[in-house]
Structure formats: structure tokens, C-alpha cells
Amino acid sequence: MRAALLREFGKPMEIAEVTVEAPKAGEVLVKVAASGVCGSDIKAIDGKSPVVSHLPCVLGHESAGVVEQVGPGVTSVKPGDHVIIAMNGPCGRCRNCSRGNAHLCSGAGRMMAIMGLMGDKTTRMSAGGEVVRPYIGIGSFAEKAVVSEAMCVKVAKDAPLDLLALTACGVVTGVGAVLNTARVEPGSTVLVVGAGGVGLNVIQGAVLAGATTIIAADVVESKLKLAEQFGATHTVLSDDLPKQVGEIVRGGTDYAFDVTGIAEVLTTAFASTQPGGTTVMVGSPAAGKNLEIPPGQLFGSRRLMGTQGGDATPARDLPLLVDLYRRGRLNLEGLVSERVPLDSVNDAVAHVRSGAVARSVIVFE
């Protein structure tokens, strides 16, 4: 198959012929239909991802496709099924899974997948005799991907896979941060800092939760116009956020979501909430960065939380998102700024890096 190989950090990916093996027990071979380009992929390219330590690697994780082959013991999907490839495949047996926290699965198989290995501590890809690792056990910047059965969520065949691919990461992270992590209440006021691909989904999540005031903040004015299309009631350029937010909602908002991954921005988002407010860190900050929050702000019973992929349980949340899309309550088409072939993957990365697009989607025939 053809795949985009990352051979050196900080360099463009190389389109190359890659050998993919048949799936083994509990594994599924998926013919990839589409894969979104995410900020996490860019961090990996820059050598800033803690889970990419071995090269070459095939990046890509926000994806959907058609099952081509299943390994022994697989019962939940069969060849021809359409599936979303979830970012995590919970084991269902570890302490976290048994307590209902599937997004925090600590099973051995899940831990190995994060580092690009299958359950037997090997991979199913190679190039010219070199072992190739798939990013977080997926590697969807490729025509095919071998993943664990638990990462395959079956969906109806009449829904467009290029749109459903987005639910696997950007959509479930944004909407999940609102519904699962913060549990925003109807009638609430919400601040969303960063109106990119994930931020737009936080806004959509706030609409679904029944928030009445939704403030979008960004440094790019064109993104703010797009935020209004997704449900933002107010927009501000990111300059002295607490002051600007206070002029819209006296005392600050009930909830704030920082999607930028910048520690200093998270501090200002936290300061923009009212006493009793909740701030959720959606974007992951760079390693080695510390967060500075004046202790006095905590005395107002303000809460600071993190989220991992929207704290989602794939088998529960991805079908829900598909259903919301089918009922016209979730805008997926509006997230797609461009559709490009695999050969243009480096151009797509550049567009996402520049902030010029909400989402670039790699599509396969």
C-alpha cells in the first residue's frame, strides 16, 4: 500500500510503498476512506509528541473506512462494514474501565497501542525491511490500517465516511469536553478560546448542552466569523480576555474551554470565569511548560480540569455523534475546509499549521 512516512522529525513526510500484514487475532484490516489532519499529528512531525519516539512512523488517527479483513476471534465487525476508527480501544477489564472511565484505560494492549505496537509488541507495517510504527496504533495517513477490534465502531453505510472520520478526534474531543468533562448545564455561559477545528466542536457541544451565551475568542478574525456559524453568540479577539469577557458576562462565564494548548492562554481563560466556574484544558500544552494561576482565584471555588479525547467511550459516544449528524444537529460538512489526496498530505499539514483551515481531510479512492 501507499503511505505517508515520517522518517525525520521536522521534515516533510515521504509517500512510500509500505508492506502491510494480515490482521492477527483480535485485529481488523481497514481500507481507509478518509483521515483528518490534526494538531496532534503536527506535534508528532515536530518531534514534540511523547508517544512518537521511533521512526519511521505513519501518522494520522482521525479516520474512518471499510473493513477489508478480520483476524481470528473478531466478532463485532466483518468485511464490508463501515467503521470509524476510534482513538482508543478500551480493554474493558482494567481498574479504570471497570469504573466507567474507558478513556483512561490502562490495559496493557492500550498502552502498547499508544506507542505504536500491537498486542504482541510488534507492528503490522514495514518499508524496505524497516519496522514502521502506526501513530497511537492507527496510522491512517495510509491506504490501509491494521487496528484492534476494540477501536472499530461500526456505522451505517449511508453516512459519508469523509465526514464521519472527523468524529474520531476533533468532534468527539470538542463535544465530549462539554458534555462528558464539564457537563455544561442548560442556560450556562461559556467561553471557548481557540476557534480551530476542535474549538468549533466545543462551540457545537455548548449549543447541544443548551448554553445561552457562547463567547468565541481567537487571534484570527476569519475564525471568529466561522465560530458564529457554529453557534457562537459573541466573538472577541484574544486580547485581555478577562476584561472583554466581563463586559459581556458580568463577573465572568460559568465555563471556559482552552483549546490552544498554550499555558499562558489557559491562565487567562481560568481568570475569565466567575467564582464557582469551571475551566477545561482541551488543548495539550508543550512538554516542560508550567501553569501559573494566582492562588487567590481558587478561593472562589473555581475548578480547573483536563480532558483526554473528550473523556469519550467510543462505543457509546461515536454512534451518538453520528446520530446527531444524521438528525441535522451536528455540522460536520462545515468543518471541512479542503479535501486532498494522500500525495498532498504535506500541503494539508502546512495549511493546518498556518491556521488557514478548520480541517484538512485526506481522502482515498
Side-chain angles (χ1 to χ4, degrees):
M1 69 173 182
R2 298 171 72 243
L5 284 184
L6 178 66
R7 290 191 175 276
E8 185 178 350
F9 293 124
K11 300 293 184 180
M13 288 173 282
E14 167 193 325
I15 306 302
E17 292 291 329
V18 173
T19 298
V20 59
E21 298 177 14
K24 296 185 179 181
E27 300 172 358
V28 179
L29 174 63
V30 179
K31 183 178 181 182
V32 179
S35 182
V37 179
C38 176
S40 298
D41 298 310
I42 294 176
K43 285 184 179 179
I45 292 171
D46 294 342
K48 297 179 180 179
S49 172
V51 301
V52 180
S53 57
H54 294 79
L55 299 179
C57 175
V58 174
L59 301 179
H61 60 285
E62 186 180 76
S63 54
V66 180
V67 174
E68 187 169 290
Q69 186 180 356
V70 300
V74 173
T75 58
S76 63
V77 295
K78 63 183 184 303
D81 285 344
H82 288 203
V83 295
I84 298 169
I85 303 178
M87 289 189 294
N88 63 314
C91 71
R93 298 180 300 275
C94 69
R95 183 171 183 268
N96 284 324
C97 284
S98 64
R99 298 176 68 185
N101 296 320
H103 61 288
L104 299 176
C105 174
S106 57
R110 177 58 195 148
M111 294 299 99
M112 283 189 285
I114 289 174
M115 301 309 296
L117 297 173
M118 304 304 288
D120 61 0
K121 299 183 181 180
T122 66
T123 77
R124 302 292 170 262
M125 294 190 295
S126 61
E130 284 186 287
V131 170
V132 175
R133 291 199 184 191
Y135 181 55
I136 63 171
I138 300 175
S140 55
F141 289 168
E143 293 173 334
K144 299 179 183 181
V146 176
V147 299
S148 70
E149 178 182 11
M151 299 172 79
C152 293
V153 178
K154 184 178 176 180
V155 294
K157 293 183 179 180
D158 61 346
L161 289 171
D162 61 333
L163 297 182
L164 297 194
L166 304 182
T167 66
C169 179
V171 179
V172 75
T173 297
V175 175
V178 175
L179 303 183
N180 296 332
T181 308
R183 300 185 179 182
V184 169
E185 297 179 345
S188 299
T189 56
V190 173
L191 167 67
V192 182
V193 188
V198 177
L200 293 176
N201 287 297
V202 175
I203 293 170
Q204 291 203 87
V207 173
L208 289 169
T212 52
T213 300
I214 304 172
I215 306 169
D218 205 291
V219 295
V220 181
E221 192 165 358
S222 61
K223 287 187 176 182
L224 296 178
K225 294 186 182 301
L226 189 57
E228 291 177 338
Q229 298 176 27
F230 279 80
T233 60
H234 300 75
T235 60
V236 297
L237 289 170
S238 297
D239 180 36
D240 195 358
L241 269 181
K243 180 178 183 296
Q244 292 188 86
V245 171
E247 292 173 352
I248 299 171
V249 180
R250 185 175 180 180
T253 56
D254 299 309
Y255 300 91
F257 297 84
D258 171 51
V259 198
T260 68
I262 301 172
E264 294 79 6
V265 175
L266 178 58
T267 298
T268 61
F270 186 83
S272 300
T273 60
Q274 64 175 315
T278 297
T279 300
V280 180
M281 182 183 72
V282 183
S284 57
K289 285 287 186 178
N290 293 320
L291 180 66
E292 294 186 5
I293 292 179
Q297 293 181 357
L298 294 172
F299 278 107
S301 296
R302 291 179 174 87
R303 296 181 297 170
L304 176 61
M305 309 173 69
T307 185
Q308 182 174 298
D311 294 350
T313 299
R316 176 196 67 196
D317 293 340
L318 294 181
L320 171 62
L321 294 175
V322 174
D323 182 61
L324 289 170
Y325 162 71
R326 291 165 67 95
R327 290 193 283 138
R329 298 187 61 195
L330 195 64
N331 180 1
L332 298 182
E333 181 63 52
L335 296 170
V336 180
S337 301
E338 62 177 1
R339 293 175 173 86
V340 301
L342 181 63
D343 288 325
S344 300
V345 64
N346 290 308
D347 293 332
V349 166
H351 297 161
V352 174
R353 190 190 294 275
S354 71
V357 299
R359 253 320 184 254
S360 294
V361 181
I362 309 301
V363 292
F364 301 83
E365 293 183 357

